[in-house]
């Protein structure tokens, strides 16, 4: 397991987390607040997802988002526990790993609803006969295997020791994709305005200058990486567009 989930050379270090999430850090309270909000919005996005799929029998996110997040977050569990072991134990790494366990449960539930409730709507156009449970499981398992390979290999290529770069990217996906998915479905079924607002708030908290990332390492600051300004503007614009798209769709 240590070989599979190694701490690769990285542009930021595990010591950055220990310094940043230490009460002696002058920005510790600010970082706690920003981190708490970042995790809160992430949880709310997925809580809305499983509530909506129960209510409308249709989820606000496409299946590949669930499979991508499951592959990513399951890897993150081992990465953060491995990071904690590497430094002799640290509360933030342990808390992040446990948070990802909860996210994995949310993702598994959404995938369960994909194959039991949504499968005909999601993949009916691919089959002449009704979509079977086996058909749906093959789709889901295949996607999970693909994303496990992609996330693991790119993490090595990116030298992303604690997956912090990857976690930023997951919020990029959340900002951009749902609105495109709702627009394609041409209905508000499986969506809600509060969810769209939560996605916007989560995107803003990700890309504001004192983000959870920037407060841990200058590597993620907009001064060091001005492309984050461009990406943040695109993502916030996309999150605003999600709301506009949703309001134009028939109820």
């Amino acid at each position: 397991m240590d070989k599979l989930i190694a701490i690769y050379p990285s542009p930021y270090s595990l010591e950055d987390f220990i310094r940043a999430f230490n009460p002696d850090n002058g920005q510790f309270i600010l970082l706690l607040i920003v981190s708490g909000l970042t995790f809160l919005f992430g949880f709310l996005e997925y809580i809305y997802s499983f509530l909506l799929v129960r209510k409308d029998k249709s989820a606000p996110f496409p299946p590949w988002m669930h499979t991508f997040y499951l592959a990513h977050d399951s890897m993150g569990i081992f990465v953060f526990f491995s990071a904690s072991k590497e430094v002799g134990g640290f509360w933030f790494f342990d808390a992040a790993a446990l948070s990802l366990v909860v996210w994995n449960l949310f993702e598994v539930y959404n995938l369960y609803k994909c194959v039991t409730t949504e499968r005909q709507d999601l993949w009916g156009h691919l089959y002449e006969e009704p979509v079977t449970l086996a058909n749906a499981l093959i789709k889901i398992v295949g996607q999970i295997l693909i994303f496990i390979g992609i996330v693991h290999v790119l993490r090595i290529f990116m030298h992303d020791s604690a997956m912090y770069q990857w976690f930023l990217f997951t919020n990029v996906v959340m900002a951009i994709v749902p609105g495109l998915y709702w627009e394609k479905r041409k209905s508000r079924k499986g969506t809600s305005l509060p969810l769209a607002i939560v996605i916007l708030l989560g995107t803003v908290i990700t890309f504001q200058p004192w983000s959870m990332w920037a407060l841990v390492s200058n590597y993620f600051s907009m001064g060091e990486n001005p492309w984050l300004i461009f990406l943040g503007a695109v993502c916030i614009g996309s999150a605003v567009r999600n709301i506009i798209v949703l309001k134009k769709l028939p109820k």
Side-chain angles (χ1 to χ4, degrees), residues 165-229:
Q165 297 173 69
W166 262 115
F167 275 103
L168 185 68
F169 181 68
T170 62
N171 287 357
V172 172
V173 172
M174 182 61 74
I176 295 172
V177 173
L180 301 175
Y181 187 55
W182 305 340
E183 194 172 37
K184 181 179 178 181
R185 290 197 304 194
K186 301 179 180 179
S187 168
R188 291 194 195 185
K189 181 181 178 182
T191 64
S192 74
L193 184 58
L195 169 61
I197 293 172
V198 165
I199 291 174
L200 172 59
L201 293 175
T203 305
V204 170
I205 204 74
T206 297
F207 287 101
Q208 48 87 25
W210 299 279
S211 71
M212 182 176 77
W213 288 265
L215 289 173
V216 167
S217 172
N218 283 334
Y219 176 72
F220 296 98
S221 70
M222 293 180 181
E224 290 292 320
N225 190 346
W227 276 107
L228 282 170
I229 301 173

Side-chain angles (χ1 to χ4, degrees), residues 26 72 82 100 111 166 187 248:
H72 174 277
S82 178
L100 290 170
L111 289 172
W166 262 115
S187 168
K248 288 182 178 179

Side-chain angles (χ1 to χ4, degrees), residues 131-150:
V131 182
T132 65
L133 181 61
N135 295 145
L137 284 173
I138 289 171
K139 295 288 185 187
I140 293 300
V141 172
Q143 288 183 22
I144 292 172
L145 294 176
I146 289 168
F147 281 127
I148 286 175
I150 290 173

